[in-house]
Amino acid sequence: MSVSPPPLPAPSSGSPGRLRAWLLEGLADRASQHPGPHAKAPVHQGQRWWRVMCLTGLDYFSTLGYQPGIAALAAGLLSPIATIVLVVITLCGALPVYRRVARESPHGEGSIAMLERLLTFWQGKLFVLVLLGFAATDFLITITLSAADATAHLVENPHLSGALHGRQVLVTLVLVALLGAVFLKGFGEAIGLAVGLVGVYLALNVVVVGVGLWHVATAPHVVADWSHALTLEHGNVFAMIGVSLVVFPKLALGLSGFETGVAVMPHIEGGPGETEEEPVGRIRGARKLLTTSAVIMSVFLITTSFITTLLIPADAFQPGGEANGRALAYLAHAYLGGAFGTVYDVSTIAILWFAGASAMAGMLNLLPRYLPRYGMAPHWARAVRPTVLVLTAVAFLVTWIFDADVDKQGGAYATGVLVLISSAAIAVTIAARRARQHGWTAAFGVIAAVFLYTTGLNIAERPDGVKIGACFIAGIILISFASRLARAFELRVTEVVLDDTAERFVRDCAHHSIRLIANEPSGRDLAEYRDKAHQIRTDNGIPAEDDLVFVEVVVRDPSDFEAELRVRGEVLHDRYRVLTLEHSSIPNALAALLLHVRDATGRQPHIYFEWTEGNPFAQLLWFFLFGQGEVAPVTREVLREAEPDRARRPRVHVG
């Protein structure tokens, strides 16, 4: 028997009802899905991997809009060498890690799901919430930072600077609102739009890079001057590499896109007959996506850092300078004229604005896979539109706090990216160790150490990033626990499964009064059941001829919110029938069993409790954390919420 949440009431014909129906459209479909390893349905055909790559590329490739300028500010003349270090770490570190993540966690949960399996009980849930906090930091700052940089390109365009100067925050808020409006309207055509935007943007960048390299090649003194300045400043190659390793964490924005790449894996088509249990084609497509995007981006990162460092004056990169946050756009205007520069600006603005789409898609895929399952989000969190409104409101707040400044948000963005990549590296190291792959274990261990070093250095130099991440984490934890407390009395059983003996007990009860005794077992000896039955009969005036069935609950992991209820029947001491239930919460398990017995027999069951000694508040807290506490009134409350009709509600007796 499957037990699902009560159906949503039908909307009225008035405007509020229509608005509610529009907001919650698709909620029932998403609520009935079982994402992840429990899914049984065939894999959705989805899109070709290269088309989905363009969706993730909105985030990854769009960093070309600001990455060369950030690299120039962080490393100065060393920008090309520091960028090469970044590319080496990308191709030899992040790429192998996320190719393994795609294989180990192909359902869109990313590396968080791999780490979730390592811990149980509340520490596992809290650990996941912390990682979700950093994921939210990464994805939300992607939205706000990209929109802010799109605004910078708008404001710095010679044709618009006069009209938009001083209105950066307003323009950024408008761009964020437009992105939210796209998701409220529907996101079915987003991948097609992403393909067009990415194709045009990369083609324009090929032109800019080609022209920039031609100018460098036709002016040999530029390379000679740069090389001479490098030697004067740093002495030798080894010193240059050492300094590049130190400043590399500041360039970590160029690593964005990997977590998004695995988060949107459910959009990649699988092969014929594939299921969620073995999505081989999806994994293969995701690994192609990750490799291709990393190689494309690596080529662009190296060439763009080279031409921008050699062709743009150093003071133009500084805050307020013409190349600050828009180095390639500066070159496009300088070497290809105002018309091409404006076209380039429009393309950059479009991809930066829509870069938030990949981040929004990542969050809409990631958060509903964890929070509702933990009971740490309301039911409407499974619907797309209410979640979009909440995320858009948070993006508004972040934009206002940071004054739509790209540089101010860089630290938070890098922290979120690096924490997620570090956790992914640790997860794949553990996975390789469990698989007894000693070579991969050592390799992934080294990669994890590199990213942990990078994360630590980034946090030490830009502590504002971890502070912002901590705010997201605190917000998610507080909201999650408030939601779990509000939903504590829901019927949290996904399915009731009885063995043959338990089924026989239920069939036997159908012919007379159904009386169940809630028992907390101790020694399970004859005296325990004999004395308990005598006490219950005496306290409640139950006739001697009425049969009694004992019910005992074994709590497995009380931190789980929704779980399957398994019922096992047995006869103890040749006379006492006992139903043993396994679930995460005693009251919810008992309520689900009572409703199942009622529906299976057509008769109203009775259950008998003893009062629990202790402070009521402490007992409620004990129930919230450990699934136990004052069982009788909580069972009755769960039944009251699950069955509004008192005439059909199972009877609860306490003595």
Side-chain angles (χ1 to χ4, degrees):
M1 167 191 169
S2 296
V3 180
S4 58
L8 293 168
S12 64
S13 58
S15 178
R18 288 197 298 270
L19 175 62
R20 185 173 185 272
W22 177 77
L23 285 172
L24 300 181
E25 183 180 352
L27 176 60
D29 295 335
R30 294 188 63 161
S32 64
Q33 293 173 356
H34 296 280
H38 306 295
K40 303 295 183 183
V43 175
H44 177 62
Q45 288 302 305
Q47 301 279 343
R48 298 292 298 275
W49 66 267
W50 58 269
R51 291 175 64 84
V52 181
M53 182 189 73
C54 292
L55 179 64
T56 63
L58 291 168
D59 175 17
Y60 196 21
F61 299 142
S62 69
T63 58
L64 289 172
Y66 47 81
Q67 175 71 13
I70 290 176
L73 281 175
L77 294 172
L78 275 174
S79 174
I81 298 175
T83 301
I84 291 174
V85 172
L86 171 68
V87 167
V88 170
I89 292 176
T90 298
L91 297 179
C92 300
L95 179 58
V97 164
Y98 277 95
R99 282 173 61 89
R100 182 65 178 252
V101 171
R103 192 179 82 183
E104 299 280 347
S105 180
H107 307 290
E109 303 101 322
S111 59
I112 297 176
M114 299 174 63
L115 294 171
E116 181 188 27
R117 304 181 196 124
L118 302 178
L119 297 172
T120 57
F121 200 58
W122 282 107
Q123 59 264 38
K125 304 296 187 294
L126 288 172
F127 182 63
V128 169
L129 290 178
V130 169
L131 290 180
L132 286 176
F134 281 112
T137 304
D138 178 8
F139 291 151
L140 270 169
I141 298 295
T142 296
I143 294 172
T144 58
L145 184 144
S146 298
D149 199 52
T151 299
H153 283 76
L154 274 171
V155 172
E156 294 298 329
N157 184 278
H159 303 292
L160 299 173
S161 58
L164 299 179
H165 187 72
R167 296 181 173 85
Q168 287 89 336
V169 174
L170 177 61
V171 175
T172 304
L173 290 176
V174 170
L175 292 177
V176 171
L178 288 174
L179 179 67
V182 170
F183 280 85
L184 290 176
K185 176 67 176 175
F187 201 47
E189 305 301 323
I191 291 182
L193 180 58
V195 170
L197 288 175
V198 168
V200 171
Y201 183 67
L202 292 183
L204 292 174
N205 274 286
V206 167
V207 174
V208 174
V209 169
V211 170
L213 291 174
W214 183 82
H215 276 278
V216 170
T218 55
H221 67 88
V222 174
V223 177
D225 292 345
W226 172 68
S227 177
H228 180 66
L230 266 182
T231 304
L232 287 177
E233 187 172 333
H234 298 287
N236 56 63
V237 174
F238 296 104
M240 296 176 195
I241 295 175
V243 175
S244 297
L245 290 172
V246 172
V247 302
F248 154 71
K250 296 180 180 179
L251 278 64
L253 294 181
L255 290 168
S256 68
F258 284 100
E259 193 70 30
T260 311
V262 293
V264 299
M265 276 185 67
H267 294 287
I268 300 175
E269 68 176 358
E274 261 184 42
T275 66
E276 289 284 356
E277 293 174 331
E278 295 183 8
V280 179
R282 175 192 291 173
I283 294 172
R284 185 167 53 248
R287 298 178 83 172
K288 290 179 182 178
L289 178 157
L290 293 167
T291 302
T292 305
S293 59
V295 170
I296 291 173
M297 191 62 177
S298 296
V299 173
F300 272 114
L301 284 174
I302 292 174
T303 54
T304 56
S305 67
F306 182 70
I307 62 174
T308 53
T309 302
L310 269 62
L311 297 177
I312 299 177
D315 57 352
F317 291 109
Q318 300 302 316
E322 294 181 9
N324 181 249
R326 55 187 304 275
L328 292 177
Y330 177 93
L331 291 180
H333 281 276
Y335 292 115
L336 292 163
F340 183 90
T342 298
V343 172
Y344 185 86
D345 280 340
V346 171
S347 175
T348 304
I349 291 163
I351 195 170
L352 282 169
W353 163 67
F354 212 54
S358 61
M360 186 77 82
M363 282 189 291
L364 292 174
N365 185 68
L366 192 65
L367 296 180
R369 291 179 179 270
Y370 291 99
L371 297 184
R373 179 159 55 91
Y374 291 174
M376 293 179 172
H379 283 302
W380 55 256
R382 285 190 171 103
V384 171
R385 289 184 177 118
T387 307
V388 169
L389 290 175
V390 171
L391 295 175
T392 303
V394 175
F396 278 6
L397 179 62
V398 171
T399 298
W400 176 70
I401 290 174
F402 286 104
D403 200 29
D405 189 287
V406 175
D407 297 327
K408 290 180 182 178
Q409 298 177 70
Y413 187 33
T415 299
V417 170
L418 288 171
V419 168
L420 290 178
I421 294 181
S422 299
S423 66
I426 293 170
V428 298
T429 302
I430 295 171
R433 185 173 182 273
R434 288 183 169 181
R436 301 184 183 278
Q437 298 171 334
H438 303 297
W440 280 114
T441 301
F444 286 136
V446 171
I447 294 171
V450 170
F451 282 118
L452 287 172
Y453 152 78
T454 306
T455 304
L457 201 60
N458 180 76
I459 291 173
E461 292 188 359
R462 294 188 284 184
D464 56 315
V466 77
K467 292 176 183 177
I468 296 161
C471 292
F472 278 103
I473 292 168
I476 285 179
I477 290 177
L478 288 175
I479 294 172
S480 296
F481 276 91
S483 173
R484 173 121 183 186
L485 188 61
R487 299 180 62 190
F489 301 113
E490 289 183 9
L491 187 63
R492 293 151 38 183
V493 175
T494 57
E495 188 176 9
V496 179
V497 181
L498 285 73
D499 69 4
D500 293 339
T501 305
E503 286 278 11
R504 189 173 69 252
F505 289 174
V506 173
R507 286 197 304 269
D508 292 344
C509 291
H511 305 296
H512 46 74
S513 297
I514 304 173
R515 303 187 187 276
L516 308 178
I517 299 177
N519 182 52
E520 183 178 358
S522 53
R524 303 193 88 193
D525 55 12
L526 176 62
E528 176 183 341
Y529 294 102
R530 182 187 61 221
D531 295 344
K532 183 82 170 185
H534 176 73
Q535 178 186 345
I536 292 296
R537 288 186 187 277
T538 302
D539 290 346
N540 296 277
I542 300 175
E545 62 272 14
D546 282 9
D547 289 336
L548 300 176
V549 178
F550 288 86
V551 183
E552 300 172 350
V553 182
V554 177
V555 177
R556 293 303 183 192
D557 185 352
S559 64
D560 286 341
F561 186 75
E562 295 178 341
E564 183 182 71
L565 174 62
R566 292 196 165 271
V567 185
R568 185 180 73 256
E570 57 185 325
V571 179
L572 297 181
H573 311 295
D574 297 325
R575 60 182 299 186
Y576 295 110
R577 291 177 295 176
V578 180
L579 293 175
T580 301
L581 285 57
E582 295 183 3
H583 191 57
S584 59
S585 167
I586 294 176
N588 284 276
L590 294 174
L593 176 66
L594 290 167
L595 292 171
H596 176 80
V597 170
R598 180 203 65 182
D599 295 339
T601 64
R603 300 178 66 93
Q604 211 163 28
H606 297 253
I607 189 166
Y608 298 87
F609 295 91
E610 292 182 25
W611 285 114
T612 304
E613 299 293 333
N615 181 279
F617 179 77
Q619 294 291 342
L620 177 62
L621 186 62
W622 198 255
F623 159 70
F624 178 71
L625 293 176
F626 304 108
Q628 301 181 44
E630 185 58 85
V631 176
V634 176
T635 302
R636 195 264 178 191
E637 180 60 21
V638 174
L639 287 169
R640 189 186 68 83
E641 289 203 6
E643 178 51 79
D645 187 353
R646 294 187 63 179
R648 301 190 68 245
R649 193 181 303 155
R651 297 291 187 253
V652 176
H653 307 268
V654 188

